[in-house]
Amino acid sequence: MARAAALAAALLAAARPAGAQDAAPPAAGAQVVAGTVLRITARDTVPAAGATVVLHRIGRDRQGPLDSTVTDPGGRFRFRYPADSASLHILTSRHHGIQYFSEPVHSASGRPDTTLVLAVHDTSSRQPVSLAARHIVLSAPAQDGTRNVVELVAVTNAGPLTRVPDGPAGAAWTWPVPAGAVALAVAEGELPEGAVTLEGDRIAVRAPLPPGLREITVEYVLPPGIAEARFPFDSGAASVNLLVEEADADVTAPGLAPADSVTVIEARSFRRWTGAVAPGGVLVARVPVPGRWGRVAVVVLVVLVAFVLAWVTMRVLRRPLSAPVAAGSPDAILDEIVRVDAMRAAVGEGDPAEAARLEARRAELKARLAAALARPGGVA
């Protein structure tokens, strides 16, 4: 980009007509912007003759195109428009189907911006791009066991060409994410809607990547039950941060060092590892699986209780109903009452006669229990 800027400045100086710096100021209440559109190719920088340039106004109450023009053979353009210090003005030009933006135009009345350079670039599906930074936030599980992951990646195109997808079904750039990721959401930013998609275990960028730095923020979901989250790196990155919410997670992060303090995001605390990752590196966060042993324990407990109840019921029902208790101890009478209650519950309301017999039997046993407890020695 430095080479392109130097070439742009040299071309602009050579192409500017003599005396352009001393041009008469615009009329009161008017603003002038003028400059050059430069086309940057693989080997050279040349004026973009016949390029359409659009002047845009971005204000609080209204925004949109304000005027347009076509560059002359030297790539030069010029606009005169009403001064409006409350609005922002920028220029755009489209080349090979890609729209390029200028820096904001000076808006002060009486200070014409006549040296503006708007660069457009040829395209290539082989133009190198690199991962400048990758920042990952791994959250604790939600109630359903799923985990949210937020990633902010910065990809750099050092130029001179714009990187474009390799064919209609191709991508301009991709990066790998943990296996099983679903439900991709993309934050609004510099790329158009639908340009970033989740395809298997990779996120694909299908929009052109002009020279410069582009930041992409995505969020996706990891399924419940995972014991570890693995974040691979195809290429290295000089700036990497991994933030993990769970304090008991075990993190393996070659090239990264743990920070001395936690990072707080929306009142939630995250441990952080920071540093650089080499090409082919993998960050691994081994995390506890929520409720794994708790669910097993519940199942085991339910099965155990069911088995014990079944065993007790069988023992009780196999004993004869008319077992003698009159001369027995209070414990024997209580045991008989428990047996009668179990039989009464098993009968329910399906056999009224049997239910009435069992209730009468229980009343008899309660009377004998009271008598046994009233006698010395507790024997009926």
PDB file of all heavy atoms in Angstrom, residues 70-99:
ATOM      1  N   VAL A  70     -17.953  11.518 -14.613  1.00  0.00           N
ATOM      2  CA  VAL A  70     -17.068  10.547 -15.243  1.00  0.00           C
ATOM      3  C   VAL A  70     -15.684  11.173 -15.358  1.00  0.00           C
ATOM      4  O   VAL A  70     -15.546  12.351 -15.727  1.00  0.00           O
ATOM      5  CB  VAL A  70     -17.598  10.130 -16.634  1.00  0.00           C
ATOM      6  CG1 VAL A  70     -16.618   9.185 -17.337  1.00  0.00           C
ATOM      7  CG2 VAL A  70     -18.956   9.458 -16.495  1.00  0.00           C
ATOM      8  N   THR A  71     -14.657  10.412 -15.057  1.00  0.00           N
ATOM      9  CA  THR A  71     -13.302  10.957 -15.082  1.00  0.00           C
ATOM     10  C   THR A  71     -12.847  11.218 -16.517  1.00  0.00           C
ATOM     11  O   THR A  71     -13.285  10.567 -17.470  1.00  0.00           O
ATOM     12  CB  THR A  71     -12.309   9.976 -14.427  1.00  0.00           C
ATOM     13  OG1 THR A  71     -12.338   8.733 -15.121  1.00  0.00           O
ATOM     14  CG2 THR A  71     -12.652   9.753 -12.976  1.00  0.00           C
ATOM     15  N   ASP A  72     -11.941  12.199 -16.652  1.00  0.00           N
ATOM     16  CA  ASP A  72     -11.386  12.524 -17.963  1.00  0.00           C
ATOM     17  C   ASP A  72     -10.260  11.549 -18.299  1.00  0.00           C
ATOM     18  O   ASP A  72      -9.987  10.628 -17.523  1.00  0.00           O
ATOM     19  CB  ASP A  72     -10.916  13.985 -17.984  1.00  0.00           C
ATOM     20  CG  ASP A  72      -9.741  14.229 -17.044  1.00  0.00           C
ATOM     21  OD1 ASP A  72      -9.120  13.254 -16.573  1.00  0.00           O
ATOM     22  OD2 ASP A  72      -9.448  15.416 -16.776  1.00  0.00           O
ATOM     23  N   PRO A  73      -9.586  11.689 -19.455  1.00  0.00           N
ATOM     24  CA  PRO A  73      -8.511  10.740 -19.810  1.00  0.00           C
ATOM     25  C   PRO A  73      -7.403  10.655 -18.774  1.00  0.00           C
ATOM     26  O   PRO A  73      -6.685   9.645 -18.716  1.00  0.00           O
ATOM     27  CB  PRO A  73      -7.985  11.294 -21.141  1.00  0.00           C
ATOM     28  CG  PRO A  73      -9.178  11.967 -21.743  1.00  0.00           C
ATOM     29  CD  PRO A  73      -9.904  12.586 -20.585  1.00  0.00           C
ATOM     30  N   GLY A  74      -7.224  11.680 -17.973  1.00  0.00           N
ATOM     31  CA  GLY A  74      -6.211  11.638 -16.919  1.00  0.00           C
ATOM     32  C   GLY A  74      -6.744  11.100 -15.606  1.00  0.00           C
ATOM     33  O   GLY A  74      -6.038  11.135 -14.594  1.00  0.00           O
ATOM     34  N   GLY A  75      -7.995  10.603 -15.601  1.00  0.00           N
ATOM     35  CA  GLY A  75      -8.573  10.061 -14.376  1.00  0.00           C
ATOM     36  C   GLY A  75      -9.086  11.120 -13.420  1.00  0.00           C
ATOM     37  O   GLY A  75      -9.448  10.805 -12.286  1.00  0.00           O
ATOM     38  N   ARG A  76      -9.144  12.397 -13.892  1.00  0.00           N
ATOM     39  CA  ARG A  76      -9.511  13.488 -12.975  1.00  0.00           C
ATOM     40  C   ARG A  76     -11.031  13.669 -12.926  1.00  0.00           C
ATOM     41  O   ARG A  76     -11.743  13.411 -13.901  1.00  0.00           O
ATOM     42  CB  ARG A  76      -8.843  14.777 -13.431  1.00  0.00           C
ATOM     43  CG  ARG A  76      -7.320  14.753 -13.294  1.00  0.00           C
ATOM     44  CD  ARG A  76      -6.724  16.079 -13.740  1.00  0.00           C
ATOM     45  NE  ARG A  76      -6.895  16.276 -15.185  1.00  0.00           N
ATOM     46  CZ  ARG A  76      -5.989  15.889 -16.097  1.00  0.00           C
ATOM     47  NH1 ARG A  76      -4.890  15.280 -15.729  1.00  0.00           N
ATOM     48  NH2 ARG A  76      -6.211  16.115 -17.379  1.00  0.00           N
ATOM     49  N   PHE A  77     -11.496  14.170 -11.786  1.00  0.00           N
ATOM     50  CA  PHE A  77     -12.920  14.474 -11.589  1.00  0.00           C
ATOM     51  C   PHE A  77     -13.025  15.741 -10.740  1.00  0.00           C
ATOM     52  O   PHE A  77     -12.054  16.162 -10.075  1.00  0.00           O
ATOM     53  CB  PHE A  77     -13.649  13.315 -10.898  1.00  0.00           C
ATOM     54  CG  PHE A  77     -13.123  13.024  -9.514  1.00  0.00           C
ATOM     55  CD1 PHE A  77     -13.618  13.694  -8.400  1.00  0.00           C
ATOM     56  CD2 PHE A  77     -12.122  12.075  -9.318  1.00  0.00           C
ATOM     57  CE1 PHE A  77     -13.127  13.440  -7.139  1.00  0.00           C
ATOM     58  CE2 PHE A  77     -11.622  11.816  -8.050  1.00  0.00           C
ATOM     59  CZ  PHE A  77     -12.120  12.499  -6.963  1.00  0.00           C
ATOM     60  N   ARG A  78     -14.221  16.351 -10.751  1.00  0.00           N
ATOM     61  CA  ARG A  78     -14.437  17.565  -9.965  1.00  0.00           C
ATOM     62  C   ARG A  78     -15.927  17.695  -9.656  1.00  0.00           C
ATOM     63  O   ARG A  78     -16.776  17.456 -10.518  1.00  0.00           O
ATOM     64  CB  ARG A  78     -13.952  18.806 -10.739  1.00  0.00           C
ATOM     65  CG  ARG A  78     -14.036  20.118  -9.966  1.00  0.00           C
ATOM     66  CD  ARG A  78     -13.505  21.259 -10.840  1.00  0.00           C
ATOM     67  NE  ARG A  78     -13.502  22.527 -10.122  1.00  0.00           N
ATOM     68  CZ  ARG A  78     -12.497  22.959  -9.379  1.00  0.00           C
ATOM     69  NH1 ARG A  78     -11.399  22.222  -9.279  1.00  0.00           N
ATOM     70  NH2 ARG A  78     -12.564  24.119  -8.747  1.00  0.00           N
ATOM     71  N   PHE A  79     -16.247  18.033  -8.406  1.00  0.00           N
ATOM     72  CA  PHE A  79     -17.621  18.266  -7.974  1.00  0.00           C
ATOM     73  C   PHE A  79     -17.723  19.635  -7.311  1.00  0.00           C
ATOM     74  O   PHE A  79     -16.802  20.071  -6.624  1.00  0.00           O
ATOM     75  CB  PHE A  79     -18.080  17.202  -6.955  1.00  0.00           C
ATOM     76  CG  PHE A  79     -18.268  15.833  -7.520  1.00  0.00           C
ATOM     77  CD1 PHE A  79     -17.295  14.852  -7.344  1.00  0.00           C
ATOM     78  CD2 PHE A  79     -19.423  15.503  -8.220  1.00  0.00           C
ATOM     79  CE1 PHE A  79     -17.469  13.574  -7.844  1.00  0.00           C
ATOM     80  CE2 PHE A  79     -19.596  14.231  -8.734  1.00  0.00           C
ATOM     81  CZ  PHE A  79     -18.622  13.264  -8.554  1.00  0.00           C
ATOM     82  N   ARG A  80     -18.866  20.283  -7.517  1.00  0.00           N
ATOM     83  CA  ARG A  80     -19.215  21.491  -6.762  1.00  0.00           C
ATOM     84  C   ARG A  80     -20.614  21.226  -6.175  1.00  0.00           C
ATOM     85  O   ARG A  80     -21.534  20.849  -6.896  1.00  0.00           O
ATOM     86  CB  ARG A  80     -19.244  22.715  -7.668  1.00  0.00           C
ATOM     87  CG  ARG A  80     -19.579  24.025  -6.936  1.00  0.00           C
ATOM     88  CD  ARG A  80     -19.771  25.148  -7.949  1.00  0.00           C
ATOM     89  NE  ARG A  80     -18.544  25.422  -8.674  1.00  0.00           N
ATOM     90  CZ  ARG A  80     -17.624  26.299  -8.288  1.00  0.00           C
ATOM     91  NH1 ARG A  80     -17.821  26.993  -7.176  1.00  0.00           N
ATOM     92  NH2 ARG A  80     -16.547  26.495  -9.001  1.00  0.00           N
ATOM     93  N   TYR A  81     -20.732  21.429  -4.871  1.00  0.00           N
ATOM     94  CA  TYR A  81     -22.002  21.118  -4.213  1.00  0.00           C
ATOM     95  C   TYR A  81     -22.203  22.083  -3.047  1.00  0.00           C
ATOM     96  O   TYR A  81     -21.249  22.720  -2.578  1.00  0.00           O
ATOM     97  CB  TYR A  81     -22.011  19.664  -3.718  1.00  0.00           C
ATOM     98  CG  TYR A  81     -20.901  19.339  -2.728  1.00  0.00           C
ATOM     99  CD1 TYR A  81     -21.138  19.374  -1.352  1.00  0.00           C
ATOM    100  CD2 TYR A  81     -19.628  18.992  -3.168  1.00  0.00           C
ATOM    101  CE1 TYR A  81     -20.130  19.069  -0.455  1.00  0.00           C
ATOM    102  CE2 TYR A  81     -18.623  18.694  -2.281  1.00  0.00           C
ATOM    103  CZ  TYR A  81     -18.865  18.727  -0.919  1.00  0.00           C
ATOM    104  OH  TYR A  81     -17.859  18.438  -0.042  1.00  0.00           O
ATOM    105  N   PRO A  82     -23.431  22.223  -2.572  1.00  0.00           N
ATOM    106  CA  PRO A  82     -23.699  23.155  -1.466  1.00  0.00           C
ATOM    107  C   PRO A  82     -22.940  22.745  -0.213  1.00  0.00           C
ATOM    108  O   PRO A  82     -22.905  21.566   0.158  1.00  0.00           O
ATOM    109  CB  PRO A  82     -25.217  23.050  -1.252  1.00  0.00           C
ATOM    110  CG  PRO A  82     -25.744  22.518  -2.539  1.00  0.00           C
ATOM    111  CD  PRO A  82     -24.681  21.627  -3.088  1.00  0.00           C
ATOM    112  N   ALA A  83     -22.320  23.696   0.416  1.00  0.00           N
ATOM    113  CA  ALA A  83     -21.581  23.417   1.647  1.00  0.00           C
ATOM    114  C   ALA A  83     -22.551  22.916   2.720  1.00  0.00           C
ATOM    115  O   ALA A  83     -23.655  23.426   2.862  1.00  0.00           O
ATOM    116  CB  ALA A  83     -20.855  24.672   2.127  1.00  0.00           C
ATOM    117  N   ASP A  84     -22.130  21.896   3.455  1.00  0.00           N
ATOM    118  CA  ASP A  84     -22.973  21.298   4.504  1.00  0.00           C
ATOM    119  C   ASP A  84     -22.055  20.700   5.557  1.00  0.00           C
ATOM    120  O   ASP A  84     -21.649  19.547   5.480  1.00  0.00           O
ATOM    121  CB  ASP A  84     -23.879  20.226   3.885  1.00  0.00           C
ATOM    122  CG  ASP A  84     -24.805  19.583   4.914  1.00  0.00           C
ATOM    123  OD1 ASP A  84     -24.808  20.036   6.072  1.00  0.00           O
ATOM    124  OD2 ASP A  84     -25.505  18.629   4.550  1.00  0.00           O
ATOM    125  N   SER A  85     -21.720  21.507   6.553  1.00  0.00           N
ATOM    126  CA  SER A  85     -20.788  21.050   7.581  1.00  0.00           C
ATOM    127  C   SER A  85     -21.408  20.023   8.519  1.00  0.00           C
ATOM    128  O   SER A  85     -20.702  19.374   9.289  1.00  0.00           O
ATOM    129  CB  SER A  85     -20.286  22.253   8.392  1.00  0.00           C
ATOM    130  OG  SER A  85     -21.378  22.922   9.001  1.00  0.00           O
ATOM    131  N   ALA A  86     -22.729  19.848   8.462  1.00  0.00           N
ATOM    132  CA  ALA A  86     -23.393  18.892   9.350  1.00  0.00           C
ATOM    133  C   ALA A  86     -23.411  17.486   8.769  1.00  0.00           C
ATOM    134  O   ALA A  86     -23.852  16.550   9.443  1.00  0.00           O
ATOM    135  CB  ALA A  86     -24.823  19.351   9.649  1.00  0.00           C
ATOM    136  N   SER A  87     -22.958  17.322   7.525  1.00  0.00           N
ATOM    137  CA  SER A  87     -22.992  16.015   6.882  1.00  0.00           C
ATOM    138  C   SER A  87     -21.586  15.567   6.519  1.00  0.00           C
ATOM    139  O   SER A  87     -20.661  16.382   6.383  1.00  0.00           O
ATOM    140  CB  SER A  87     -23.857  16.049   5.614  1.00  0.00           C
ATOM    141  OG  SER A  87     -25.189  16.388   5.925  1.00  0.00           O
ATOM    142  N   LEU A  88     -21.440  14.260   6.356  1.00  0.00           N
ATOM    143  CA  LEU A  88     -20.192  13.662   5.901  1.00  0.00           C
ATOM    144  C   LEU A  88     -20.331  13.356   4.417  1.00  0.00           C
ATOM    145  O   LEU A  88     -21.379  12.901   3.965  1.00  0.00           O
ATOM    146  CB  LEU A  88     -19.911  12.368   6.682  1.00  0.00           C
ATOM    147  CG  LEU A  88     -18.668  11.576   6.281  1.00  0.00           C
ATOM    148  CD1 LEU A  88     -17.410  12.324   6.700  1.00  0.00           C
ATOM    149  CD2 LEU A  88     -18.701  10.195   6.930  1.00  0.00           C
ATOM    150  N   HIS A  89     -19.267  13.629   3.651  1.00  0.00           N
ATOM    151  CA  HIS A  89     -19.287  13.363   2.211  1.00  0.00           C
ATOM    152  C   HIS A  89     -18.146  12.425   1.852  1.00  0.00           C
ATOM    153  O   HIS A  89     -17.004  12.599   2.321  1.00  0.00           O
ATOM    154  CB  HIS A  89     -19.155  14.668   1.416  1.00  0.00           C
ATOM    155  CG  HIS A  89     -20.322  15.591   1.583  1.00  0.00           C
ATOM    156  ND1 HIS A  89     -20.444  16.443   2.655  1.00  0.00           N
ATOM    157  CD2 HIS A  89     -21.422  15.782   0.812  1.00  0.00           C
ATOM    158  CE1 HIS A  89     -21.569  17.137   2.547  1.00  0.00           C
ATOM    159  NE2 HIS A  89     -22.176  16.754   1.432  1.00  0.00           N
ATOM    160  N   ILE A  90     -18.465  11.417   1.036  1.00  0.00           N
ATOM    161  CA  ILE A  90     -17.443  10.490   0.542  1.00  0.00           C
ATOM    162  C   ILE A  90     -17.672  10.270  -0.943  1.00  0.00           C
ATOM    163  O   ILE A  90     -18.747  10.585  -1.484  1.00  0.00           O
ATOM    164  CB  ILE A  90     -17.480   9.138   1.281  1.00  0.00           C
ATOM    165  CG1 ILE A  90     -18.836   8.452   1.068  1.00  0.00           C
ATOM    166  CG2 ILE A  90     -17.176   9.300   2.754  1.00  0.00           C
ATOM    167  CD1 ILE A  90     -18.860   7.025   1.587  1.00  0.00           C
ATOM    168  N   LEU A  91     -16.658   9.712  -1.597  1.00  0.00           N
ATOM    169  CA  LEU A  91     -16.727   9.399  -3.020  1.00  0.00           C
ATOM    170  C   LEU A  91     -16.587   7.896  -3.214  1.00  0.00           C
ATOM    171  O   LEU A  91     -15.861   7.232  -2.458  1.00  0.00           O
ATOM    172  CB  LEU A  91     -15.621  10.120  -3.780  1.00  0.00           C
ATOM    173  CG  LEU A  91     -15.628  11.648  -3.684  1.00  0.00           C
ATOM    174  CD1 LEU A  91     -14.320  12.203  -4.219  1.00  0.00           C
ATOM    175  CD2 LEU A  91     -16.808  12.218  -4.450  1.00  0.00           C
ATOM    176  N   THR A  92     -17.277   7.376  -4.224  1.00  0.00           N
ATOM    177  CA  THR A  92     -17.146   5.968  -4.563  1.00  0.00           C
ATOM    178  C   THR A  92     -16.947   5.811  -6.054  1.00  0.00           C
ATOM    179  O   THR A  92     -17.370   6.660  -6.851  1.00  0.00           O
ATOM    180  CB  THR A  92     -18.396   5.155  -4.147  1.00  0.00           C
ATOM    181  OG1 THR A  92     -19.526   5.597  -4.899  1.00  0.00           O
ATOM    182  CG2 THR A  92     -18.675   5.297  -2.666  1.00  0.00           C
ATOM    183  N   SER A  93     -16.290   4.728  -6.436  1.00  0.00           N
ATOM    184  CA  SER A  93     -16.143   4.376  -7.839  1.00  0.00           C
ATOM    185  C   SER A  93     -16.113   2.862  -7.935  1.00  0.00           C
ATOM    186  O   SER A  93     -15.534   2.187  -7.071  1.00  0.00           O
ATOM    187  CB  SER A  93     -14.862   4.965  -8.437  1.00  0.00           C
ATOM    188  OG  SER A  93     -14.795   4.717  -9.828  1.00  0.00           O
ATOM    189  N   ARG A  94     -16.744   2.321  -8.969  1.00  0.00           N
ATOM    190  CA  ARG A  94     -16.852   0.875  -9.128  1.00  0.00           C
ATOM    191  C   ARG A  94     -15.902   0.405 -10.230  1.00  0.00           C
ATOM    192  O   ARG A  94     -15.836   1.009 -11.296  1.00  0.00           O
ATOM    193  CB  ARG A  94     -18.298   0.498  -9.453  1.00  0.00           C
ATOM    194  CG  ARG A  94     -18.584  -0.995  -9.449  1.00  0.00           C
ATOM    195  CD  ARG A  94     -20.067  -1.250  -9.614  1.00  0.00           C
ATOM    196  NE  ARG A  94     -20.820  -0.773  -8.479  1.00  0.00           N
ATOM    197  CZ  ARG A  94     -21.034  -1.478  -7.367  1.00  0.00           C
ATOM    198  NH1 ARG A  94     -20.536  -2.695  -7.262  1.00  0.00           N
ATOM    199  NH2 ARG A  94     -21.755  -0.981  -6.385  1.00  0.00           N
ATOM    200  N   HIS A  95     -15.173  -0.692  -9.931  1.00  0.00           N
ATOM    201  CA  HIS A  95     -14.223  -1.250 -10.893  1.00  0.00           C
ATOM    202  C   HIS A  95     -14.283  -2.775 -10.805  1.00  0.00           C
ATOM    203  O   HIS A  95     -14.176  -3.346  -9.708  1.00  0.00           O
ATOM    204  CB  HIS A  95     -12.806  -0.747 -10.586  1.00  0.00           C
ATOM    205  CG  HIS A  95     -11.758  -1.269 -11.522  1.00  0.00           C
ATOM    206  ND1 HIS A  95     -11.739  -0.978 -12.873  1.00  0.00           N
ATOM    207  CD2 HIS A  95     -10.673  -2.062 -11.296  1.00  0.00           C
ATOM    208  CE1 HIS A  95     -10.706  -1.569 -13.434  1.00  0.00           C
ATOM    209  NE2 HIS A  95     -10.038  -2.231 -12.502  1.00  0.00           N
ATOM    210  N   HIS A  96     -14.487  -3.425 -11.955  1.00  0.00           N
ATOM    211  CA  HIS A  96     -14.638  -4.888 -12.001  1.00  0.00           C
ATOM    212  C   HIS A  96     -15.746  -5.354 -11.053  1.00  0.00           C
ATOM    213  O   HIS A  96     -15.633  -6.404 -10.403  1.00  0.00           O
ATOM    214  CB  HIS A  96     -13.316  -5.570 -11.655  1.00  0.00           C
ATOM    215  CG  HIS A  96     -12.301  -5.494 -12.748  1.00  0.00           C
ATOM    216  ND1 HIS A  96     -11.056  -6.085 -12.672  1.00  0.00           N
ATOM    217  CD2 HIS A  96     -12.328  -4.864 -13.966  1.00  0.00           C
ATOM    218  CE1 HIS A  96     -10.382  -5.841 -13.771  1.00  0.00           C
ATOM    219  NE2 HIS A  96     -11.127  -5.095 -14.567  1.00  0.00           N
ATOM    220  N   GLY A  97     -16.812  -4.567 -10.943  1.00  0.00           N
ATOM    221  CA  GLY A  97     -17.950  -4.948 -10.118  1.00  0.00           C
ATOM    222  C   GLY A  97     -17.779  -4.706  -8.642  1.00  0.00           C
ATOM    223  O   GLY A  97     -18.660  -5.053  -7.849  1.00  0.00           O
ATOM    224  N   ILE A  98     -16.685  -4.091  -8.221  1.00  0.00           N
ATOM    225  CA  ILE A  98     -16.409  -3.862  -6.803  1.00  0.00           C
ATOM    226  C   ILE A  98     -16.387  -2.369  -6.541  1.00  0.00           C
ATOM    227  O   ILE A  98     -15.758  -1.602  -7.289  1.00  0.00           O
ATOM    228  CB  ILE A  98     -15.063  -4.499  -6.398  1.00  0.00           C
ATOM    229  CG1 ILE A  98     -15.094  -5.995  -6.711  1.00  0.00           C
ATOM    230  CG2 ILE A  98     -14.768  -4.256  -4.929  1.00  0.00           C
ATOM    231  CD1 ILE A  98     -13.746  -6.662  -6.588  1.00  0.00           C
ATOM    232  N   GLN A  99     -17.061  -1.949  -5.482  1.00  0.00           N
ATOM    233  CA  GLN A  99     -17.147  -0.529  -5.165  1.00  0.00           C
ATOM    234  C   GLN A  99     -16.047  -0.148  -4.177  1.00  0.00           C
ATOM    235  O   GLN A  99     -15.843  -0.813  -3.162  1.00  0.00           O
ATOM    236  CB  GLN A  99     -18.516  -0.209  -4.562  1.00  0.00           C
ATOM    237  CG  GLN A  99     -18.758   1.277  -4.360  1.00  0.00           C
ATOM    238  CD  GLN A  99     -20.211   1.604  -4.130  1.00  0.00           C
ATOM    239  OE1 GLN A  99     -20.903   2.111  -5.003  1.00  0.00           O
ATOM    240  NE2 GLN A  99     -20.690   1.311  -2.939  1.00  0.00           N
TER     241      GLN A  99
END
